[in-house]
Amino acid sequence: MIPPGPPRPAMWLLVVMTGLGPFSMQILIPALPRMAVDLGVPYGIAQLTLTLYLIGVALGQLLYGPLADRFGRRPVMLGALALYLVASALSAFAPSMAWLGIGRVAQAMGACSGMVLGRAIIRDVWPRDQAASRIGYVVMAMTLAPMLAPMVGALIEERFGWRSSMVACLLFGAPLLLAVWLRLPETLREPQPLPGLRGMGLAHMSLLRLPAFRWIAAVGAASTGVFFAFMAGAPRVAEAMGHTPRDYATAFLAISVCFAGGSWMAGRFSARMGLARMLSAGLWIIILGSGVMLAVQLFLPHSLMGFFLPMALVALGNGISLPNAVAAAISVRPERAGTASGLLGAMQMGFGALMTLVNGAFETGAGVASALVMAGCGIASSVALRGARRHL
């Protein structure tokens, strides 16, 4: 007889776990210009809260993968959520930009656990092509979090100030901690040895030595960089056009809807068409959208629609490509799915953080710098795709 596999968790719980990180990141972004005024810092310094959040996500994902492969998915998730709640409280009452930065890094390290462990859990209980479909469905469903977060953040900021958005994170995280405690089964089949920090480094290096993982991770990082370059510049561009945080949040809905549509397509067609074809299709849509964005900013009058609609096309491509990139990366060494998921996420967030710094240094509110950085990331993803094709 074939031994039974680990129990499959409820998909809604995986969705909420995965949505925690994007929700917590997005909820503060519409308030960046006004937060800068409140804390008495330039916009570029306030924008660092996004960069620091991404750095926290990158660091957390490097840790959670090996820890989850060694100690199990459930206990690591519980510990991460406890960290998230403490960090959200610190961010809500931070007396200065420095303390807010510390709180956001810690908050990100707690929030990113769901992204890492959700992917690993899916790979624990479903085979590769089915995993791509399940990840696509999870990503599609969890887009509700970043779709709602900017609007929630904008409405809260208008009525109660930006600090209340961090209180909202507390109200979101506490029930999730209880749900994980009560409803999340352990899915790790066989714990992997982890001899301290050196073991984590060796686990990561064992993956980085594999050309298949390197190329696929490069594809994921470059395509993610397109998105975070936009995120860094969009609030300033919208404010320069005279729009409010609520206007920004409303326009962002189109991006979330398109990302959800792309993720639905990944969930619907990946098992049938294969990872390579779906990944290629998504990346070419990203490149097309980035090119349209640059052309619009250079040659047409500036408008909120002209800035956000090309990004909606990019989001469609991201929704198609990212689930397949993730499924491909964590299938290179299935026994190290947690480590691979964490390392891939760290590379994505690390590159995204770099793009926010680059964009923050050059974006003046005209939108051209954002479009240039996005186009550069799109070209980089195309180059990486050439290398990845040999291993898909």
Side-chain angles (χ1 to χ4, degrees):
M1 293 181 61
I2 299 174
R8 293 180 175 179
M11 287 298 295
W12 68 263
L13 184 56
L14 297 179
V15 168
V16 178
M17 285 167 46
T18 307
L20 181 66
F23 178 88
S24 303
M25 177 182 67
Q26 297 270 16
I27 194 171
L28 196 59
I29 290 177
L32 287 180
R34 296 182 184 179
M35 186 182 73
V37 174
D38 182 56
L39 294 177
V41 297
Y43 176 85
I45 299 299
Q47 179 264 320
L48 285 176
T49 57
L50 173 59
T51 304
L52 291 170
Y53 189 95
L54 295 177
I55 291 173
V57 171
L59 292 174
Q61 291 189 107
L62 286 174
L63 295 173
Y64 290 133
L67 289 174
D69 285 340
R70 172 62 182 88
F71 299 108
R73 318 311 190 195
R74 186 174 180 273
V76 173
M77 187 69 201
L78 289 170
L81 287 174
L83 172 63
Y84 173 81
L85 294 178
V86 173
S88 297
L90 174 60
S91 299
F93 300 102
S96 66
M97 182 66 201
W99 280 106
L100 177 61
I102 294 171
R104 286 290 277 174
V105 170
Q107 186 186 47
M109 291 183 70
C112 73
S113 57
M115 292 186 286
V116 178
L117 301 180
R119 296 168 179 172
I121 289 169
I122 287 174
R123 189 61 185 89
D124 287 341
V125 297
W126 281 284
R128 191 183 82 153
D129 285 343
Q130 289 186 32
S133 292
R134 295 291 175 174
I135 291 172
Y137 286 129
V138 167
V139 171
M140 177 192 69
M142 76 113 186
T143 51
L144 182 63
M147 184 185 299
L148 294 178
M151 183 61 71
V152 170
L155 293 175
I156 290 176
E157 192 276 337
E158 286 180 2
R159 185 164 187 141
F160 302 108
W162 64 268
R163 293 180 185 275
S164 296
S165 62
M166 296 294 95
V167 176
C169 291
L170 277 170
L171 298 177
F172 185 78
L176 178 58
L177 176 62
L178 180 62
V180 168
W181 176 268
L182 296 175
R183 299 293 300 272
L184 184 67
E186 182 55 65
T187 61
L188 181 65
R189 295 172 183 265
E190 184 177 347
Q192 300 294 311
L194 181 63
L197 292 176
R198 182 175 180 271
M200 292 186 187
L202 291 175
H204 291 138
M205 289 306 300
S206 69
L207 288 170
L208 290 173
R209 291 191 189 99
L210 302 174
F213 184 85
R214 290 200 303 269
W215 282 116
I216 295 166
V219 170
S223 59
T224 303
V226 178
F227 180 76
F228 286 116
F230 174 84
M231 295 285 293
R236 174 175 280 191
V237 172
E239 185 188 39
M241 294 178 184
H243 294 283
T244 66
R246 186 185 297 192
D247 296 333
Y248 166 88
T250 302
F252 196 84
L253 289 174
I255 295 173
S256 297
V257 169
C258 287
F259 187 80
S263 300
W264 177 85
M265 294 174 68
R268 182 69 176 82
F269 300 112
S270 290
R272 183 187 310 171
M273 298 181 62
L275 300 183
R277 293 174 66 186
M278 291 295 289
L279 183 57
S280 178
L283 290 180
W284 281 114
I285 294 173
I286 291 172
I287 294 169
L288 175 61
S290 300
V292 172
M293 166 76 78
L294 181 58
V296 169
Q297 301 312 306
L298 288 175
F299 303 115
L300 295 179
H302 291 172
S303 66
L304 197 64
M305 182 177 294
F307 190 68
F308 274 80
L309 284 183
M311 184 59 203
L313 186 61
V314 171
L316 177 67
N318 258 321
I320 295 172
S321 64
L322 286 179
N324 288 280
V326 170
I330 65 179
S331 297
V332 172
R333 286 287 186 271
E335 72 278 7
R336 290 284 185 181
T339 302
S341 176
L343 182 56
L344 173 64
M347 294 174 71
Q348 289 176 304
M349 296 303 107
F351 189 77
L354 178 61
M355 292 304 99
T356 65
L357 289 175
V358 171
N359 198 26
F362 296 103
E363 181 58 73
T364 62
V368 176
S370 296
L372 282 171
V373 176
M374 290 170 59
C377 291
I379 293 171
S381 70
S382 176
V383 172
L385 177 61
R386 290 178 177 270
R389 280 183 180 278
R390 298 193 295 268
H391 305 284
L392 292 174

